[in-house]
Amino acid sequence: MTSVHFLDDEVELIPADTPLLKLAVQQLNEYFEGERLVFDFPIKQQGSDFQQEVWQCLLTIGYGKTISYAHQSKLMKSPLAIRAIASANGKNHLAIVVPCHRVIGSDGSLTGYACGVWRKKWLLEHEARVSGVGQTSLF
C-alpha cells in the first residue's frame, strides 16, 4: 500500500480487486469500527531517507497516545529539526496507517494536519473513545 486518502466528495465505490487492497480496506474498516489498534498490511512510501526516518518514528506512537513535534525531534535525536520533521509529517501519504495525526503542538494544540485539523481532532477523539482512557500525551 502506498497511499490512503480522504475524499470530501461522494464517489462511486469500486470493490477492492487485489488481496493487498482487500486487506487494507478490511483493516481500515476495523479501525473505524474500533476493532483494530495497529495495522499490519505491507506499506511503502516514496520519500527521502529523512522522511522515511520520520515516518518510522510515527509508527512507534501508540494508539490513543500523542506526542509533540518537539518530542518527536528528541526521539529522532534531531532537536533542531522540528520544522523539517513537521514538514515530513505533512508529506505522509498513509494517513491513519502511519499516524501523523498523533503529533500535536507542545501546548497541546492540534496544529496543522494535511487532511484537515477537524479530521485530526476526530481521529484523536475516536482513539480516545475506543481506548477508553482519553487522549494520553507522551511529551
Side-chain angles (χ1 to χ4, degrees), residues 76-135:
M76 295 179 61
K77 298 183 181 7
S78 299
L80 301 178
I82 295 171
R83 288 180 191 245
I85 289 168
S87 176
N89 284 351
K91 291 178 174 72
N92 170 28
H93 294 289
L94 286 164
I96 303 170
V97 178
V98 177
C100 55
H101 63 279
R102 296 180 187 153
V103 184
I104 62 176
S106 293
D107 62 358
S109 64
L110 301 183
T111 58
Y113 184 57
C115 301
V117 173
W118 70 272
R119 282 192 177 104
K120 182 176 195 166
K121 181 177 188 281
W122 189 94
L123 291 167
L124 292 173
E125 288 174 350
H126 169 72
E127 292 182 6
R129 275 190 308 275
V130 170
S131 65
V133 296
Q135 183 178 315

Side-chain angles (χ1 to χ4, degrees), residues 52-65:
Q52 297 293 335
E53 184 182 349
V54 169
W55 299 330
Q56 278 302 123
C57 184
L58 293 173
L59 291 170
T60 68
I61 308 169
Y63 185 95
K65 309 264 192 264

